[in-house]
Amino acid sequence: MTRETTTTWLNKLKSQLSHKLARRKATVGILAFEIAGLMSKLLLLHQSLSDKSIIRLKNDSISLEGIRKIISNDDSLLLNLAVAEFLHNLHLAAKSTSRLSRRCEDPKLRSFHNLFDDFTDRGRDPYNWVVSGKELDTLTRKVDRQITATSLLYKELEELASLEKKNHHQSNGSKCENSVEAQQKIVWQRQEVKTMKEKSLWNRSFDSVAVILAKLIFSLLARIKIVFGIGHGYIAALPRSLSTSSAMVYPNREEDLCNGAGHFVSGPLKLQKFDDERKRDLAAAFFKSSTKVLKAPPSTLGAAGLALHYANLIIVLEKMVRTPHLIGLEARDDLYSMLPRSIRCSLRERLRGVGFSTADPVLAGEWKDALGRILGWLSPLAHNMIKWQSERSFEQQNLMMPKTNVLLLQTLYFANRDKTEAAIAELLVGLNYIWRFEREMNAKALFECCNFNGYLNL
């Protein structure tokens, strides 16, 4: 090997090492927690699109009595609400991934937004980011481990911050041995943090994280399209885990897709070229048209901004119906203050001319049964509304997402306002009767007890 050749080889080696070091420095760092939250949402969506979840959605979720009574009994509409929410959540995840991908070194990852728009509109997957079956299972298990490790890192960092703050406060006027012990704990904790950074997403490069997110997002969009039969034939040849039509929402569409209504492209293919702006417009139109059903109609609680308030009201009523003998005057006043004007007017109409001077145990029993039936279908929607809202609040404050996945159609958001208020008014009328009945029975028992005690004292 000549001297010139040796110099050239050393320069190449130096360049490669420098490049590797630069790539190693370009880690996600503090963004690991945001990325872990994003991955967690995608895993939750993946679970919602499993065979079991889709079958449960078809057979159970949209068949809930409460949904049928005050939301809709149109299966097609309810399924459209479900897929619209899936697509909305996926679109938000894709936007976040697009922002992260701009910091990647790989050109194709930096172009994620264009590739995603192209895949959304025309089904092109030139880099084989759509995965399924065992490969997808392996990927999700890997992601789950990284999320768990990043969550542990978050806790370790909190513990380190707590130790350092405590040591700072105790440093003035503290004994030397206590200070040394505190410093040792901090050293150990820093080492633990360093270890967890290696195991978690903290020290991962933007490229390695972005390719995982890209595979998840492409695979989930493909899954949504094939399961719900979303048109244009974008994903006709997509490998999928659903092997039977029983788990498909629209199995009759599959044959049309596979017979050439369109094409799913895996790998480079010569097609008509569209400029980036045109592709983004088409993709945006797809998501806009697919999710516009999520806008609550004027007749619903969601449009009136009352869904969460009514959910809290129904849960309060549920507790009162369960223990009417514990309702005090203050609790009744608090309940009345929660009622909007429309329900107050309806309640006054219902109670006008109704007498409660005599207590009928048979009628009280009938009212209890009636209230139980109403709460049986209304209460689940109220609890789901609270859960749906709390999950979104939880998401803003915590790294890990909850393990439940309540859909908006399973809440009071799309509930018809008039029907919901009629049910609440019925609960209030029945509760009023039961409360008065319980008070009269208690007063009667107390009166008889006092008379009996007076008789014994004679």
Side-chain angles (χ1 to χ4, degrees):
M1 184 181 291
T2 65
R3 183 174 182 180
E4 184 178 352
T5 305
T6 303
T7 302
T8 303
W9 180 80
L10 288 174
N11 287 335
K12 287 182 178 179
L13 180 61
K14 182 179 179 181
S15 176
Q16 290 175 356
L17 290 173
S18 299
H19 184 64
K20 287 183 179 179
L21 288 173
R23 286 176 61 88
R24 184 170 180 80
K25 290 178 182 178
T27 57
V28 299
I30 193 67
L31 292 176
F33 305 118
E34 178 186 342
I35 295 169
L38 180 58
M39 287 180 171
S40 188
K41 295 176 196 176
L42 291 172
L43 284 191
L44 197 62
L45 182 56
H46 171 67
Q47 293 169 8
S48 300
L49 295 169
S50 67
D51 293 5
K52 289 182 180 179
S53 296
I54 295 299
I55 292 173
R56 186 165 57 248
L57 173 66
K58 285 175 54 184
N59 299 335
D60 299 329
S61 298
I62 66 173
S63 301
L64 291 175
E65 186 179 0
I67 291 177
R68 297 290 177 170
K69 282 184 177 291
I70 62 175
I71 296 179
S72 176
N73 56 10
D74 184 345
D75 287 356
S76 179
L77 172 61
L78 295 172
L79 289 172
N80 282 338
L81 289 174
V83 71
E85 189 168 359
F86 292 149
L87 287 170
H88 175 71
N89 293 337
L90 185 64
H91 194 208
L92 292 179
K95 285 183 176 180
S96 297
T97 302
S98 294
R99 289 193 294 270
L100 289 169
S101 67
R102 294 171 192 156
R103 305 180 67 170
C104 293
E105 296 185 4
D106 190 331
K108 66 175 180 289
L109 292 174
R110 286 203 302 270
S111 300
F112 169 82
H113 58 288
N114 291 329
L115 293 168
F116 178 70
D117 291 344
D118 201 18
F119 180 69
T120 299
D121 181 58
R122 303 166 66 220
R124 293 196 63 202
D125 179 24
Y127 301 109
N128 297 314
W129 282 343
V130 175
V131 295
S132 62
K134 292 183 179 180
E135 188 177 355
L136 182 58
D137 291 339
T138 302
L139 178 63
T140 54
R141 284 195 297 269
K142 176 183 178 182
V143 170
D144 189 50
R145 288 194 299 268
Q146 291 180 334
I147 293 172
T148 302
T150 306
S151 178
L152 291 174
L153 170 62
Y154 187 83
K155 293 178 181 178
E156 297 296 346
L157 284 170
E158 284 189 323
E159 178 64 21
L160 176 59
S162 177
L163 288 173
E164 289 177 338
K165 183 178 180 180
K166 184 178 180 181
N167 181 62
H168 177 73
H169 288 314
Q170 292 179 349
S171 59
N172 297 327
S174 62
K175 294 182 180 179
C176 182
E177 56 271 17
N178 291 338
S179 178
V180 171
E181 183 180 353
Q183 289 292 338
Q184 187 60 51
K185 286 183 179 180
I186 291 174
V187 171
W188 289 337
Q189 188 62 27
R190 284 175 178 167
Q191 183 59 43
E192 187 65 26
V193 166
K194 183 179 179 181
T195 301
M196 290 310 304
K197 282 183 177 180
E198 291 295 330
K199 293 181 179 180
S200 68
L201 292 168
W202 186 283
N203 284 339
R204 299 294 185 272
S205 68
F206 282 95
D207 287 56
S208 64
V209 166
V211 73
I212 291 174
L213 291 171
K215 287 184 176 181
L216 284 174
I217 290 171
F218 270 55
S219 301
L220 290 174
L221 178 56
R223 173 75 169 173
I224 289 172
K225 285 188 173 186
I226 196 67
V227 171
F228 290 94
I230 295 177
H232 309 304
Y234 290 151
I235 47 177
L238 174 69
R240 56 189 174 84
S241 61
L242 283 173
S243 57
T244 62
S245 62
S246 62
M248 292 194 64
V249 176
Y250 299 110
N252 57 317
R253 296 285 303 278
E254 184 182 18
E255 184 178 353
D256 295 336
L257 290 173
C258 293
N259 283 338
H263 56 268
F264 173 77
V265 185
S266 181
L269 187 67
K270 293 182 180 179
L271 294 169
Q272 181 182 358
K273 292 184 178 180
F274 289 87
D275 58 79
D276 291 344
E277 185 177 353
R278 172 62 174 161
K279 287 189 289 186
R280 281 194 292 272
D281 289 343
L282 290 171
F286 167 77
F287 282 103
K288 184 177 180 180
S289 63
S290 299
T291 59
K292 65 181 179 181
V293 70
L294 289 178
K295 183 179 180 180
S299 60
T300 63
L301 294 180
L306 290 169
L308 188 60
H309 180 72
Y310 278 22
N312 285 310
L313 175 59
I314 292 166
I315 291 173
V316 170
L317 285 170
E318 182 183 32
K319 293 177 181 178
M320 288 184 168
V321 169
R322 205 176 288 136
T323 55
H325 57 283
L326 298 179
I327 302 175
L329 294 177
E330 185 177 351
R332 290 184 77 232
D333 292 341
D334 291 340
L335 175 62
Y336 190 77
S337 67
M338 293 179 67
L339 304 180
R341 181 180 299 178
S342 54
I343 292 185
R344 292 184 186 184
C345 294
S346 175
L347 185 60
R348 280 194 292 267
E349 289 294 326
R350 291 294 311 277
L351 294 177
R352 187 174 297 168
V354 178
F356 293 99
S357 57
T358 59
D360 185 350
V362 175
L363 184 56
E366 291 176 352
W367 266 117
K368 287 182 180 179
D369 292 340
L371 297 187
R373 288 193 297 271
I374 294 172
L375 287 171
W377 58 262
L378 186 59
S379 177
L381 299 182
H383 284 281
N384 283 343
M385 186 74 251
I386 300 296
K387 191 180 296 182
W388 189 92
Q389 184 64 40
S390 63
E391 284 181 358
R392 271 97 199 130
S393 300
F394 186 92
E395 171 189 333
Q396 300 300 323
Q397 301 172 9
N398 296 271
L399 170 64
M400 300 294 289
M401 286 287 289
K403 295 300 182 183
T404 57
N405 190 20
V406 175
L407 293 174
L408 201 54
L409 71 90
Q410 298 170 298
T411 72
L412 291 172
Y413 187 79
F414 294 110
N416 180 275
R417 180 175 179 177
D418 292 338
K419 292 180 180 180
T420 307
E421 290 184 348
I424 292 174
E426 193 74 6
L427 289 174
L428 290 166
V429 172
L431 180 60
N432 185 47
Y433 185 89
I434 293 173
W435 178 74
R436 289 178 179 271
F437 173 79
E438 292 286 345
R439 285 192 68 188
E440 188 169 334
M441 291 298 100
N442 289 339
K444 184 177 180 181
L446 182 61
F447 177 76
E448 291 177 353
C449 182
C450 291
N451 284 344
F452 182 72
N453 290 336
Y455 176 78
L456 291 178
N457 292 331
L458 292 178

